[in-house]
Structure formats: C-alpha cells, structure tokens
Amino acid sequence: MSIWKYEIKKMLLLHKGLLFICLYFFLSIGTMVILDEPANPEVEMNRMQYRFYLNQVQGPYTEETEHFFTSEANKISDAKVALQRVTDNFYDGYIGEQEFLTSSDSLAIILKNEVGFQLVYNQYVYVRENPDNRKFLNTNGWDGLLSNDSLDFLFILLVLLLVTPIFCYEFESKMDALLLTVKKGAKTHTLCKIGLVFVIVSLLCLVTAGLRYGFYSFKYGLENGDYPLQSLSYFGTSIKDVTLLQSFLWITIGKLLGNLCFATLILFASVCFKKYAITLFSCTTVVLLPYYGLKLESSKFLWPGPLGFMVSTGFFRGNEFKRNLVKDQMELIFREVSFTSWIIVFTITFSLCVVMLIVILHKRTNVWIVQHRKRRRRLPLLILVLGIAVSMLVGCNSFNGVMIEGTYNYSSKGSFENDKYRFYMEQTEFGNNQIVFEDKTSGEKHNLVRNPMTSLTQIGAPIYGDGTYIYYMKIDFEKIGFQESATRFSVIGVDITRFNEKIIFEKKLSTDKGTVLGLVKGNTYVASFYLTVSAFFLDESSLYLIGQSNGQTEIRKINRTTGAMSVLFRIPVLRSFAFDGRTIYFVDEKSQIVKYDTKTDIMTSIIDLVTRDFILTDTELLFLNRKDQQKIYAMNLHDSTIRKLTEVPVLSFRYNNPYITYIGKIDMKEYQLFIDSSSN
Amino acid sequence: MVRLVCFEWRKHFLKRSIIIAMLLFSVLNIAKVYSIHEESSLLANPGWKDLYWKEWADFGGAITNKRIEKLMNIYLPLEQLTADHTASTKYRTPDTYLSNVYEDWNFFRLNYVDPMKYAYDYKAYAQGVVSAAKENIAFYESVDNSYERNKNAVIAKLFEGRSITSFAYTEMYQYYVQYDFSGLLVLLICLYGLMSVFLHEKVTEMDILLLTSKAGGKATIWAKLIASALFVSSVSFWFWVVDFVSFSIIFDSWDAASSPLFMLVDFIHAALNVSLWQYAILSALIKTAGILVFALAFLFMSILFRNALIPFIISLFISFISIYFEEVTMGSGRIWIKVINPFVLLFNRELFRKIEFVSLVGFPLPSYIAALLLATAWGALLLGGILIVVRKNTLWKGGGNRVHLEV
C-alpha cells in the first residue's frame, strides 16, 4: 500500500501533477467557453421560434408530419396574404378597428414563428431522405459533442506531462540501478506504476468526457439520447445501429482505450529510450503526424495505434462522397470503417499494448527514492510562461468611438452626402461596384476605394457614412489551382479628410481545412449570411448587417470586438428602414413604424402612423400616409405633431436636404418640394 | 572555436534517433506531396496528362496571336456545343479528344484557355494598377496624405512594366507555394534536437564542472548556439529541398521556373518582381529564418528548466498557439497583428501573395520587411534572454560574485 501512496504523492505533488491537472481543466473549460460555436447558429439565434415547431414534430417521421409540414406551409403563406389584405382593408376604411385588431393579431401569431418553421423544414428535408433511422431533434448539442474529429491537444500534453516522468525520472537521476537492491523494487513496483498511470488517465479521461457532456447539455441541451445516431447529418450515411447516447458512451470508451494505449506507449518509449526528449518527441509524432498528415480523413481510423481511438467518432461514420465538378464523378472523402476492420485495428492495437506492457515489465523495475532537491524556481517560471501564453489568447482590438452624425435611411444605402462631398455607387463596365464621390463645389469625381489592386476583391454595393467616416464592405477571395473561394468579409472605414482606411470589422469566411493545420474552421451557415449582406450601419460598439437567411430579410447585430452575432428582427418586405445612431426605425407586417432602441433593447410602435415608405431626417419622419391616399406627411420627432406636405398622392419620393423630390401618382411627373424643417 | 562547434554538433545532433527521424519524416513528406498531387492536380488523370503534353507542343512557350487563334479554334466550338447542356454525352465519339464534349471543354478551359487568358490579360491589368496608383499619388497629394502617396508610389513602381510573355505549366508551383506540412516536420525535429543542447550537461550536473574549464563559459555557449543554428538550417534546407524536388518529380514539371511569380493567379499582386525559382529560394531562406526564431525560443525554454519535460511541452504548446493565431489572422487586413507572429515567416505566401504595407512613423513599410524586422527583434530578444539566463547561472555557481549580487 505504501508504494501506491508514494507513487501518487510523487506524481501529483512532487512532479506538480495536480497543478498541471488543474491548469488543464482551467484551459480546457476556457477554450470550450470561448471558442465553442454552435454547429447551426441560426437555431441558437431563433431558439424560441425553432422550439415552437420542433416540439410539434419531434420524434420519428410519420405521415402526420408530412401533412403537418404541408398544411403549415400553406397556413403561413395564406396568413401573409391575409394579413396584407386585412391591413389594406382597414386603412382603406372597409373594416373597423376592432375587427382589424382581432384578425391581425391571430394572423401575426401564425407568422411569429415563421423562421422556426424554415429551420425545422430544412431538417425535414434531411429526415425525409431516410425516415427509417432519422428523427427530428435539436441537433446542436449532440453535434457539438459528437460531430467532429478533433483531437484534444491539451489532453495529449497533460498525459505527456503526467506519464513521462513515471520512469524517466529515475533514469534521469541514474537511480534505476539502485532498484536491484530493493525487495519489492522489481515487478511489484513497476506494476504499481503502470496501474497508477492507468487509473489516473482513465479518471481524467472520464472526467473530461463528463465535463464535455455537461457543457453541451448546459449550453444547448442534450435531449432525445435514445434517437438513432443517423439523426445527425454528420453520421447521416452510417450503417451502425446505435442511439445517440450509446454512441457517446462507445466513443468515450474508445477515447479511454486510445488514451490508455497512448499512456502505455509513453511508458514503453520511456523505458526504451530512458530520456525525456526522445520519449516526448516519439510519442507526439506518433499521434500528431498521422492526424495532420494523412490525406483521407478516415485513414487515421484504420491506422493501428492510439490515434484512431483517441478520436473515435470516425468509427461511426458512413461512406461520404463529394462531387468533383471537373472530373464529373463522385469522389470518396470518407471511407466507412467496417466492423471487421475495427476488430482488426482493435486487435492489433490491443496486442501492441500487451507487447509493450510485457516489454516494460521485462525491462523495467525500479525503486522509490526520496527526493530532497527542491526546485521551487520552476513554479513561478512556469506560471509566468503560461501566463504569457494565456494573455496571448486574449485578442485585443482597440477602437476609437464613432461620432454618429445625421441619419441613415435604407433608401439611400448606396449614397451619402456631407457638406463637401456626395458619395454614391456606380456600376463599372465589368459589373463591379465602384464607390465614387463628387466634390460639391468643383464637381470633380474621384473613387473612394483607392486600392489600385482590384483583382480578388469584391466591393459591396452598400455604403454607410457618419460625419467623418465613410464605411464600405468588401469580400476577399483566394484562388488556388482553379478553385476560387471567398476568404474574408471586412467593413472598412475611410476618413473623409485625408482618406486613410481603417478596418472596422473582419470575419473569416473560408471553411476549408487546407490551411496549415486547419485549427480554425469557418461555419458555412455564418459564411452564407455574410455573402448576402445588402446594407449595413454601425455604432460605436456594434455592426448591424441586413442580409438574407432562409429566404427572409434579417437585421443582425454583431459585436465588433467579440464577433458575437444575434438576430434583432426580421422584416417581411424591406422598403424603408432608418437608423439615427441609437434608434432603428422599420415597418412591421401591419405597416406600422416600429422604433427599436439599440441601447435598451426596447421596441415601441408609433401608433396611428401607417406607411410602407418613410424617410428619417434629423428632425422629422417623412412618410407616405397610407390613410390619406399616399400623400406625403411629416411627423416631428420631438413632439410627434403631424403635418401634411403634399395635396396629391405620391408614388415614391426621396429626400435631399432641404428638398423632397417626389413622383406624383396621378400624372407620374417629378416634383421638387422645399421643406423647412427648422420652422417646426 | 571551430573545433568546439564541431564537437557540440557531434555531441547533440549526430544521433541515430535524429537521422532516423529525418529519414522517416522525409518519406512522410514525399507521401504527403504525392497525396496532394492525387487530390488536386488536374493532370492526376492519365488521359488528361497525355493530352496535355500532346497539346503542349502547340501551345506551350511564348504567347503569340497565332497560338491564341489556334486554341480558340478548338475551344470556341466546344463552348458553343456545351453552352446549352444539350450536346450528346456519348462516349468517345471520333471528333472528341477525351470521353465526351463536356470533358473536352473542361480540359481546354481549365488547362489552356483560362491560364492563357490570365497570362495574356496580365499586362493590361498591371498597367491598370500602375495608372490607378499614379492617379492616387496626385489625389493623395491634393489631400496632403503623404503615407498613402508614398504607398502608391511604391505600388506604381512595382507594377510598372509587368507582363507575362510565355505560357508555362505552373500547376506544380501553385500547390508548392501553398504547402506547409514540411514546416511542421522541421519544427518537431528541431524541437527534439535542441532540447538536449543546454540540458545535456544539466542532467548529469556537469554544467558546474564545465564552468571551471577554460572554454567552458562564454565560448561553449556560443559554440552551442552556432552548432544549433547550423543544425536548424541544415534540417530546414534538407526539407525544403525534399519539398521542391518531390513536387517537381511528382508533378513532372521543371520548366516554369523562369516564369514570374505573378504567373500564379493567387499571386496576382505579388509583392516582388521575382521569378518562380527565385521565389522558391527566397521562401526557403525566410522559412529557415522563421524556424531559427522558434529554435531560439525552444533553447530559451530549455535553459529555464533542469530537464526536457516541461520545456518540450511548453514549446509544443507555444508552437501550436502561434499556428492557431496565424490561421486566425491569415488574409486579415490588420497587417501588424499578422506580422508580429514569427510563424508568418514559415507561412510566407501570406507576405508575398499581395503587396501590403504597415505604417512605420508615417513611412510605408512592405509587410515582408516588417515581418523580417519583427522576427529579428524576437530573435534578438530570445538570444539576449538566453545569454542573460545562462550568465546568471554562472554567477550563481561561481560563488565569488554572490556577494556582489547581494549588495
């Protein structure tokens, strides 16, 4: 018993094992919390709506589900039409207010969860392909837990730190010879050491698995563990007949075996080489090189040794193909590991482990030596070094606040004007966008984006301006071989006095694994949203993007420092939209203007103001009054008084301080109207 | 000193384990290059390869109007046939080169028409860049922005007179410049090789004894550093040569070497006017410089501890963190953040694929120079660290100076 106690004391206290274990859990939890991103961020951004529909179809695919989807799709599209009609009728005076309110409210309830329907419908398309073993469930939690083939690099380092000194320590101090003189120094002691390593590694492995399970269960929820594994698209083509929970347990057992095999390998290497450096080197290369070097993702699972088992998820995947567009044929990207191959790989790995253990026992016996040397200097140094490393992890991004000046209107998303210049968008002959600006006094025209190297960059159409800066967006591409792919979305600010550029926001879009080791992976859902952005604006802490997702126009808010994204709201028909630096104005499905305060997150409707087209100026809200035959009205923003500006119905109008230019609905002619907003 | 260096070299690096690792890693490296060829090369398909080199006789070499015309005579009918996707996919009809019209069209488009169009258009594009940059010079002068003005002057000068006159098979270089797996191999070997340099004597507690000998202090330290630098450089060069040779053999291509760097589409805005073989050498040198910085970091780590365990783990950890940040900042417009990481030297296409500048007190400095300067600074810092930490040990062990220290 005392040998056990001494060995534990040596491993955990003398070799600072406990410290490393704590550090590992600290870093591991830290990386999970900071770096984890949901597999499908749309679901997280629309949790409520998604839940609403998922709860109705959760479980297997049946005929009822089929009917449900058809009827619900019809219901939603009918509700959209009906709501429009009811609103029109009400504003035209055909129906009373009470009737309008009752019917519009019931319709709005149907439409409230439309996006959730879209998300569940996408899942429906997947489930319908093979209804026998696919079920409806919230996949984000299980996807995060199971759908990856990532190697826990920190865990490898921890195992190396704990296991390598077990034998190397005695070799290093040449005390292994003394062991011959000790009674229990031979077999018993070695067995005890091996046993201890196995126990510690198993415990750590299980605790880590538990921690991951807990994390994903807490963050996304891990319900429906009894559903088949194929419900996750990552395992879509798998032919293994297991449930989600079973596969998690099997994968955990696989990881446990893999890590025990890895620990055995370290012990074996340390007994053979008797030196730290070469033991560490050989063990890391055995794991890391096949992981990063092998071409086919599935090869590592057919490679006898610890690696395949340390990842384990690949044993449950099925054959996967990708169409090669050039050769016009399907290319294998993942080869399924059949049960026979698994048995073979397992047997070889297991026999290797047994052989290694026999060699260790044969070669290795040694003795406990009380160590007196204290090396306190190491600890503060280690903390210092790791502290530096951790501080490197914290990305910092300083920003000098933007002073918002003037207002932003969706209708003028391609132009901006200040006292000196007028900025607007021009299409060039090659179909590229070109942002130009015109000097108001001299009439000279220049390009705003002055980068002479235009290839592999696409300038987006919208621009946004506040007093001193003009912002534009661009997408960078890279071209390797014959494949071109978008790599990065950026928003750039240009100061209007000296035309220096600065980067406001950047987002990596590329999703391929081709870069160095592929440690940073983009998300296709996120990337596809960035590629649809049609307008944007910003304040000092956030960037707001208007883009398409699931066929709907969404306004998303992005934290400029952390990059965290959330959906603010959806706009059924985007025609008018404004931002004054703090409040967002938009038109809801009842044609009412809604004000959203970005600081307090409070949404209020402006009652009695019915319109689809409006423009926000510094002091007034100009709108086409739906209640009065689309005549232009103005509402004062301070006292909410409303005045009429035109006596004729108007088709469309634009505002160019201090003039309104409008097209009359009856004669289709253009008029200009001077408004003196200050007099109000 | 030379003998000391030789001795240190023999002691630390002429080990069986290192030689075996080098050989194994070289084999792995070649296998990896081969897999890239199989996965990505258009000519991995034997039918395409044969046809490519058959057609090469007609279209390779200088780009002339006659050649373009001849190519268009083949390509335009194919394009028309395939435009509405109604042409027959019948297998190997007599008038097709490959299995059907679509494959013919893909073959000519990807192998000849697109690359040749790019090469032919490049001159005009470069001229466009020059005139845009010159326009910018005038514009920035008018708004009194000297930094942007100077930046555009450099760009105008760089792109002046750029053109691609001859058509070459560049596929090998396209993948060669994107290849960085060998960097990881070199990093691992160096990590292993360097761990023992300072620790070897410490483990056996001979470092105290060493101090008592005549050349045991400063001279030994410098000999160790020089031997390490030589080791790192030779391992690096060995792998860069293996990379280049295996790429050339596997892609069966030696002849694009004299084409300019901007012949590669991804390098359309190349930061230097060099040819591909010059870039291959330059890239090898810069990668070696990057490895040297990491080597100094590994040595510095190893000095701080008494055995290899913790320095090895920390070094590996730091390397991976560097790689992680390199991947995060890759392609970013925030140049300073990109170049401060010494790993960018190992990954130097990021510095050369596009000319980018950082502002050094208002003066535009090309990003590759900034990266080299910063790497030098990192190197100097680590070297200084090594010398300070090592000397401190001699003071401690020397005993005589301890009084001085305590004062």
Side-chain angles (χ1 to χ4, degrees), chain B residues 67-84:
Chain B
R67 280 186 171 144
I68 293 174
E69 231 168 73
K70 196 171 174 189
L71 181 62
M72 283 299 135
N73 284 340
I74 298 176
Y75 179 69
L76 289 177
L78 286 173
E79 196 178 44
Q80 278 163 10
L81 275 173
T82 53
D84 50 6

PDB file of all heavy atoms in Angstrom, chain B residues 67-84:
ATOM      1  N   ARG B  67      -0.926  31.257 -81.853  1.00  0.00           N
ATOM      2  CA  ARG B  67      -1.260  30.196 -80.894  1.00  0.00           C
ATOM      3  C   ARG B  67      -2.639  30.431 -80.284  1.00  0.00           C
ATOM      4  O   ARG B  67      -3.418  29.496 -80.109  1.00  0.00           O
ATOM      5  CB  ARG B  67      -0.206  30.139 -79.793  1.00  0.00           C
ATOM      6  CG  ARG B  67       1.029  29.396 -80.253  1.00  0.00           C
ATOM      7  CD  ARG B  67       2.009  29.205 -79.121  1.00  0.00           C
ATOM      8  NE  ARG B  67       3.062  28.310 -79.572  1.00  0.00           N
ATOM      9  CZ  ARG B  67       4.323  28.411 -79.224  1.00  0.00           C
ATOM     10  NH1 ARG B  67       4.697  29.402 -78.415  1.00  0.00           N
ATOM     11  NH2 ARG B  67       5.221  27.567 -79.651  1.00  0.00           N
ATOM     12  N   ILE B  68      -2.902  31.696 -79.953  1.00  0.00           N
ATOM     13  CA  ILE B  68      -4.201  32.000 -79.353  1.00  0.00           C
ATOM     14  C   ILE B  68      -5.321  31.662 -80.332  1.00  0.00           C
ATOM     15  O   ILE B  68      -6.331  31.051 -79.979  1.00  0.00           O
ATOM     16  CB  ILE B  68      -4.255  33.482 -78.942  1.00  0.00           C
ATOM     17  CG1 ILE B  68      -3.282  33.717 -77.805  1.00  0.00           C
ATOM     18  CG2 ILE B  68      -5.659  33.891 -78.537  1.00  0.00           C
ATOM     19  CD1 ILE B  68      -3.126  35.149 -77.392  1.00  0.00           C
ATOM     20  N   GLU B  69      -5.101  32.041 -81.567  1.00  0.00           N
ATOM     21  CA  GLU B  69      -6.101  31.767 -82.593  1.00  0.00           C
ATOM     22  C   GLU B  69      -6.359  30.269 -82.724  1.00  0.00           C
ATOM     23  O   GLU B  69      -7.498  29.808 -82.762  1.00  0.00           O
ATOM     24  CB  GLU B  69      -5.569  32.274 -83.933  1.00  0.00           C
ATOM     25  CG  GLU B  69      -6.544  33.164 -84.674  1.00  0.00           C
ATOM     26  CD  GLU B  69      -5.822  33.854 -85.823  1.00  0.00           C
ATOM     27  OE1 GLU B  69      -5.525  33.149 -86.801  1.00  0.00           O
ATOM     28  OE2 GLU B  69      -5.524  35.066 -85.716  1.00  0.00           O
ATOM     29  N   LYS B  70      -5.284  29.537 -82.737  1.00  0.00           N
ATOM     30  CA  LYS B  70      -5.393  28.088 -82.886  1.00  0.00           C
ATOM     31  C   LYS B  70      -6.172  27.483 -81.713  1.00  0.00           C
ATOM     32  O   LYS B  70      -7.042  26.627 -81.887  1.00  0.00           O
ATOM     33  CB  LYS B  70      -3.983  27.495 -82.945  1.00  0.00           C
ATOM     34  CG  LYS B  70      -3.964  26.094 -83.475  1.00  0.00           C
ATOM     35  CD  LYS B  70      -2.553  25.627 -83.716  1.00  0.00           C
ATOM     36  CE  LYS B  70      -2.553  24.158 -84.100  1.00  0.00           C
ATOM     37  NZ  LYS B  70      -1.204  23.601 -84.134  1.00  0.00           N
ATOM     38  N   LEU B  71      -5.848  27.978 -80.501  1.00  0.00           N
ATOM     39  CA  LEU B  71      -6.535  27.481 -79.302  1.00  0.00           C
ATOM     40  C   LEU B  71      -8.013  27.823 -79.359  1.00  0.00           C
ATOM     41  O   LEU B  71      -8.879  26.992 -79.056  1.00  0.00           O
ATOM     42  CB  LEU B  71      -5.889  28.101 -78.055  1.00  0.00           C
ATOM     43  CG  LEU B  71      -6.468  27.674 -76.706  1.00  0.00           C
ATOM     44  CD1 LEU B  71      -6.291  26.173 -76.510  1.00  0.00           C
ATOM     45  CD2 LEU B  71      -5.801  28.413 -75.573  1.00  0.00           C
ATOM     46  N   MET B  72      -8.305  29.047 -79.793  1.00  0.00           N
ATOM     47  CA  MET B  72      -9.702  29.480 -79.852  1.00  0.00           C
ATOM     48  C   MET B  72     -10.467  28.669 -80.883  1.00  0.00           C
ATOM     49  O   MET B  72     -11.664  28.399 -80.712  1.00  0.00           O
ATOM     50  CB  MET B  72      -9.776  30.969 -80.177  1.00  0.00           C
ATOM     51  CG  MET B  72      -9.448  31.836 -78.988  1.00  0.00           C
ATOM     52  SD  MET B  72     -10.627  31.541 -77.674  1.00  0.00           S
ATOM     53  CE  MET B  72      -9.609  31.407 -76.263  1.00  0.00           C
ATOM     54  N   ASN B  73      -9.770  28.265 -81.939  1.00  0.00           N
ATOM     55  CA  ASN B  73     -10.431  27.438 -82.948  1.00  0.00           C
ATOM     56  C   ASN B  73     -10.873  26.101 -82.382  1.00  0.00           C
ATOM     57  O   ASN B  73     -11.853  25.513 -82.840  1.00  0.00           O
ATOM     58  CB  ASN B  73      -9.495  27.200 -84.136  1.00  0.00           C
ATOM     59  CG  ASN B  73      -9.414  28.439 -85.004  1.00  0.00           C
ATOM     60  OD1 ASN B  73     -10.301  29.297 -84.940  1.00  0.00           O
ATOM     61  ND2 ASN B  73      -8.343  28.559 -85.765  1.00  0.00           N
ATOM     62  N   ILE B  74     -10.133  25.632 -81.401  1.00  0.00           N
ATOM     63  CA  ILE B  74     -10.560  24.381 -80.760  1.00  0.00           C
ATOM     64  C   ILE B  74     -11.633  24.677 -79.720  1.00  0.00           C
ATOM     65  O   ILE B  74     -12.626  23.977 -79.610  1.00  0.00           O
ATOM     66  CB  ILE B  74      -9.352  23.705 -80.058  1.00  0.00           C
ATOM     67  CG1 ILE B  74      -8.287  23.347 -81.083  1.00  0.00           C
ATOM     68  CG2 ILE B  74      -9.809  22.483 -79.286  1.00  0.00           C
ATOM     69  CD1 ILE B  74      -7.025  22.777 -80.484  1.00  0.00           C
ATOM     70  N   TYR B  75     -11.410  25.762 -78.951  1.00  0.00           N
ATOM     71  CA  TYR B  75     -12.219  25.993 -77.755  1.00  0.00           C
ATOM     72  C   TYR B  75     -13.613  26.541 -78.061  1.00  0.00           C
ATOM     73  O   TYR B  75     -14.601  26.077 -77.486  1.00  0.00           O
ATOM     74  CB  TYR B  75     -11.462  26.926 -76.822  1.00  0.00           C
ATOM     75  CG  TYR B  75     -12.231  27.245 -75.570  1.00  0.00           C
ATOM     76  CD1 TYR B  75     -12.463  26.267 -74.610  1.00  0.00           C
ATOM     77  CD2 TYR B  75     -12.745  28.518 -75.340  1.00  0.00           C
ATOM     78  CE1 TYR B  75     -13.170  26.535 -73.463  1.00  0.00           C
ATOM     79  CE2 TYR B  75     -13.464  28.801 -74.195  1.00  0.00           C
ATOM     80  CZ  TYR B  75     -13.669  27.807 -73.259  1.00  0.00           C
ATOM     81  OH  TYR B  75     -14.372  28.077 -72.129  1.00  0.00           O
ATOM     82  N   LEU B  76     -13.680  27.521 -78.954  1.00  0.00           N
ATOM     83  CA  LEU B  76     -14.974  28.173 -79.183  1.00  0.00           C
ATOM     84  C   LEU B  76     -16.064  27.199 -79.638  1.00  0.00           C
ATOM     85  O   LEU B  76     -17.182  27.236 -79.120  1.00  0.00           O
ATOM     86  CB  LEU B  76     -14.823  29.339 -80.153  1.00  0.00           C
ATOM     87  CG  LEU B  76     -14.089  30.540 -79.549  1.00  0.00           C
ATOM     88  CD1 LEU B  76     -13.909  31.636 -80.584  1.00  0.00           C
ATOM     89  CD2 LEU B  76     -14.817  31.087 -78.329  1.00  0.00           C
ATOM     90  N   PRO B  77     -15.769  26.290 -80.589  1.00  0.00           N
ATOM     91  CA  PRO B  77     -16.807  25.313 -80.936  1.00  0.00           C
ATOM     92  C   PRO B  77     -17.238  24.471 -79.728  1.00  0.00           C
ATOM     93  O   PRO B  77     -18.425  24.182 -79.556  1.00  0.00           O
ATOM     94  CB  PRO B  77     -16.130  24.420 -81.984  1.00  0.00           C
ATOM     95  CG  PRO B  77     -15.007  25.220 -82.509  1.00  0.00           C
ATOM     96  CD  PRO B  77     -14.574  26.146 -81.437  1.00  0.00           C
ATOM     97  N   LEU B  78     -16.265  24.116 -78.886  1.00  0.00           N
ATOM     98  CA  LEU B  78     -16.609  23.322 -77.699  1.00  0.00           C
ATOM     99  C   LEU B  78     -17.530  24.109 -76.785  1.00  0.00           C
ATOM    100  O   LEU B  78     -18.490  23.577 -76.231  1.00  0.00           O
ATOM    101  CB  LEU B  78     -15.327  22.960 -76.931  1.00  0.00           C
ATOM    102  CG  LEU B  78     -14.440  21.880 -77.535  1.00  0.00           C
ATOM    103  CD1 LEU B  78     -13.141  21.772 -76.757  1.00  0.00           C
ATOM    104  CD2 LEU B  78     -15.156  20.550 -77.531  1.00  0.00           C
ATOM    105  N   GLU B  79     -17.214  25.393 -76.632  1.00  0.00           N
ATOM    106  CA  GLU B  79     -18.019  26.232 -75.747  1.00  0.00           C
ATOM    107  C   GLU B  79     -19.446  26.331 -76.276  1.00  0.00           C
ATOM    108  O   GLU B  79     -20.405  26.244 -75.517  1.00  0.00           O
ATOM    109  CB  GLU B  79     -17.386  27.611 -75.645  1.00  0.00           C
ATOM    110  CG  GLU B  79     -17.920  28.401 -74.486  1.00  0.00           C
ATOM    111  CD  GLU B  79     -17.259  29.755 -74.367  1.00  0.00           C
ATOM    112  OE1 GLU B  79     -17.092  30.437 -75.402  1.00  0.00           O
ATOM    113  OE2 GLU B  79     -16.895  30.129 -73.258  1.00  0.00           O
ATOM    114  N   GLN B  80     -19.559  26.509 -77.577  1.00  0.00           N
ATOM    115  CA  GLN B  80     -20.902  26.612 -78.165  1.00  0.00           C
ATOM    116  C   GLN B  80     -21.678  25.317 -77.986  1.00  0.00           C
ATOM    117  O   GLN B  80     -22.856  25.318 -77.655  1.00  0.00           O
ATOM    118  CB  GLN B  80     -20.797  26.937 -79.649  1.00  0.00           C
ATOM    119  CG  GLN B  80     -20.596  28.424 -79.883  1.00  0.00           C
ATOM    120  CD  GLN B  80     -20.088  28.717 -81.271  1.00  0.00           C
ATOM    121  OE1 GLN B  80     -20.049  27.846 -82.127  1.00  0.00           O
ATOM    122  NE2 GLN B  80     -19.678  29.958 -81.493  1.00  0.00           N
ATOM    123  N   LEU B  81     -20.979  24.198 -78.194  1.00  0.00           N
ATOM    124  CA  LEU B  81     -21.643  22.899 -78.082  1.00  0.00           C
ATOM    125  C   LEU B  81     -22.161  22.656 -76.678  1.00  0.00           C
ATOM    126  O   LEU B  81     -23.229  22.090 -76.481  1.00  0.00           O
ATOM    127  CB  LEU B  81     -20.659  21.786 -78.443  1.00  0.00           C
ATOM    128  CG  LEU B  81     -20.511  21.443 -79.911  1.00  0.00           C
ATOM    129  CD1 LEU B  81     -19.390  20.447 -80.099  1.00  0.00           C
ATOM    130  CD2 LEU B  81     -21.820  20.854 -80.433  1.00  0.00           C
ATOM    131  N   THR B  82     -21.356  23.083 -75.691  1.00  0.00           N
ATOM    132  CA  THR B  82     -21.722  22.760 -74.306  1.00  0.00           C
ATOM    133  C   THR B  82     -22.580  23.835 -73.667  1.00  0.00           C
ATOM    134  O   THR B  82     -23.099  23.631 -72.579  1.00  0.00           O
ATOM    135  CB  THR B  82     -20.450  22.577 -73.454  1.00  0.00           C
ATOM    136  OG1 THR B  82     -19.634  23.726 -73.628  1.00  0.00           O
ATOM    137  CG2 THR B  82     -19.692  21.340 -73.843  1.00  0.00           C
ATOM    138  N   ALA B  83     -22.731  24.976 -74.345  1.00  0.00           N
ATOM    139  CA  ALA B  83     -23.381  26.125 -73.703  1.00  0.00           C
ATOM    140  C   ALA B  83     -24.767  25.794 -73.176  1.00  0.00           C
ATOM    141  O   ALA B  83     -25.119  26.145 -72.054  1.00  0.00           O
ATOM    142  CB  ALA B  83     -23.450  27.286 -74.672  1.00  0.00           C
ATOM    143  N   ASP B  84     -25.575  25.104 -73.974  1.00  0.00           N
ATOM    144  CA  ASP B  84     -26.947  24.859 -73.504  1.00  0.00           C
ATOM    145  C   ASP B  84     -27.125  23.466 -72.904  1.00  0.00           C
ATOM    146  O   ASP B  84     -28.250  23.023 -72.675  1.00  0.00           O
ATOM    147  CB  ASP B  84     -27.948  25.106 -74.642  1.00  0.00           C
ATOM    148  CG  ASP B  84     -27.535  24.364 -75.892  1.00  0.00           C
ATOM    149  OD1 ASP B  84     -26.558  23.594 -75.810  1.00  0.00           O
ATOM    150  OD2 ASP B  84     -28.179  24.540 -76.941  1.00  0.00           O
TER     151      ASP B  84
END
